[in-house]
Amino acid sequence: MQAAPASGAAAAPVVRLAEVSKSFPGVKALAGVSLELRPGEVHALLGENGAGKSTLIKILSGVYAPDAGQVEIDGQAVALQGPAHAQRLGVATIHQELLQFPDLTVAENIFLGHAPMRRWGRIDWETSRRRAAELLAQLGASDISVDAVVGSLSVGNRQRVEIAKALALDARVLVMDEPTAALTAHDAERLFATVRMLCGRGVAIAYISHRLSEIFELADRWPTPTTTSW
Amino acid sequence: MPDFGALLRGRPRLRAAVLSQEAVLLLALLALLLVVGLINERYVAERNLMSIALAHAYIAVAAIGMSMVIITGNIDISVGSLIGVLAAVCGTLANMGLPIGLAWLLPILLAIVISGSLGVLVAYCRIPSIVASLGYLSILKGGLIIWTGGAWITDLPENFGLALQRWGGVPAPIWAMLILTALAAYWMRNSRTGRAFYAIGGNAEAARLAGIPTQRMVVLVFMLNGLFAGIAGILFATQLKVIQTTVPPYLELTIITAAVVGGVSILGGTGTVIGSTLAAVLLAAIGSALIFIDVSPFWLRATYGTLILVTVLFDLHRRRLQQRAS
Ligand SMILES: Nc1ncnc2c1ncn2[C@@H]1O[C@H](COP(=O)(O)OP(=O)(O)OP(=O)(O)O)[C@@H](O)[C@H]1O
Ligand SMILES: [Mg+2]
């Protein structure tokens, strides 16, 4: 694990959720939950099935607006207008269900929605492919062809593509919702290495899991009764 | 059966080229021309080849818009009725003495509005497109009969026949088919909006999370469908000196068949308009071949149906291979 932030003066949080609540018809998914994410730290989120973990990260990634409470990024309260807005503010999310385009190539999946452009509104495929290859190389995943369609990849490789997607956004905050759920032990190890690498670069990471062993392996902080209601 | 599995493990670009629906269609078309041409060489005479392409040029144009709609995971079964209505509107406007350019243009704008409103029902009122367009089909088809009483529109102005014009010896509808297919294919391949259509059809939720305004995109794709249906309607209306104000039977089914046989997955997310245009021409070539080899034209629909099933089975097989390769 990387060193804890400079002793005493912990780095200021990039993200702060304060007393966030969210209800769905008939279900109170979140009741006054708070959370702080700091650069270079892995923050674990634990909770039983249905505890509201995914709901919390969907609020953070702009998918849902909270019913009550506040989202702060860099100390500023923000009302996220949607997923694209959260991405622009540097929050990348790997959702529990891998949300990919199985018929499109790896390069296109990585840059979908923010592809490099040429004149006349044309997508710059060459640059997309080159940068996608660079991102995958950073993850030690050069074995994945940028031209392969994502539907033909193994689950572990699909997840690497998702992480490359987050890197492409230059995310300062990376949220991972049960990323190891469908992975083999070997792929999970590779994922942990990647998480540590990103951490070392100063990315703030929120890591959701059921598996306590993972949490102990990765996390700098995990919720105590004072930080969450679980 | 060739070993597709081996191909799939090979280089992706090579794989794409070998297995692409476009390549398969082109080979099928050439094989058909060769075989039927050997039986009856008048089948491959320039005159007949031209009439094959001409017969389905407007189908191919409409299939461009239909392909885009299906790529987003939607469908429009009202397009045949829309084309019938547009033809009647076009003829009526021309007979009212409007400048001929306007008589051609206004129906296209009308089509964009009508299809766009269908898109609004699908995107914002969340009515499944097959149901919403079924409603439009009945309204348009019924409305046309109420309005015209089924009477033909005759005494059209001299200069009405846009589809009868030839440029460089090639009929205007064939030019329209070729140029619009090339432009649309390039745009679908290289524009953000075109790629957004594929993304929405591939995984609508993921597209939304990637920041694509999916509802606006669905309205837009239906408007584009209206644009191409409008152009197809004008080509259809201006090909004869009279306009029959009944909707041509099976028109929407032929258009959808062209898209599906062209490799546009009915599940959304894949396919190209080059494929749909090739398929539209192939369907016309099959119709013509049945005549030349003296088979009852009643076989035509059954042949189309078989082609659809073969294409879909092939598509499913390909997807399964893809899964297994992972
Ligand atoms: N879109 C929604 N509409 C209605 N109810 C929802 C919705 N999303 C979540 N819920 C409900 O809110 C509660 C919290 O769900 P959430 O997915 O956040 O839990 P979770 O902690 O991620 O669970 P898991 O460990 O199973 O992933 C559950 O009772 C769930 O049924
Ligand atoms: Mg969850």
Side-chain angles (χ1 to χ4, degrees), chain A residues 24 27 29 48-55 64 96 178 210:
Chain A
F24 296 109
V27 199
E48 299 159 14
N49 284 330
K53 304 180 297 293
S54 296
T55 305
Y64 300 141
Q96 191 165 4
E178 305 207 19
H210 279 316

Side-chain angles (χ1 to χ4, degrees), chain A residues 90-94 163 166 171-176 198 203-207:
Chain A
V91 180
T93 308
I94 300 179
I163 297 173
R172 296 175 302 144
V173 179
L174 178 61
V175 185
M176 306 172 101
L198 293 175
V203 176
I205 294 174
Y207 188 98

Side-chain angles (χ1 to χ4, degrees), chain B residues 105-162:
Chain B
L105 187 65
L106 289 178
I108 297 178
L109 296 179
L110 178 68
I112 294 173
V113 171
I114 292 177
S115 285
S117 68
L118 177 56
V120 169
L121 289 180
V122 173
Y124 291 95
C125 307
R126 302 192 185 280
I127 305 177
S129 55
I130 190 158
V131 179
S133 62
L134 180 61
Y136 270 53
L137 181 156
S138 296
I139 294 169
L140 290 169
K141 197 174 243 182
L144 180 61
I145 294 173
I146 293 168
W147 172 36
T148 63
W152 292 16
I153 299 174
T154 53
D155 301 324
L156 291 160
E158 275 303 302
N159 56 356
F160 183 68
L162 178 63

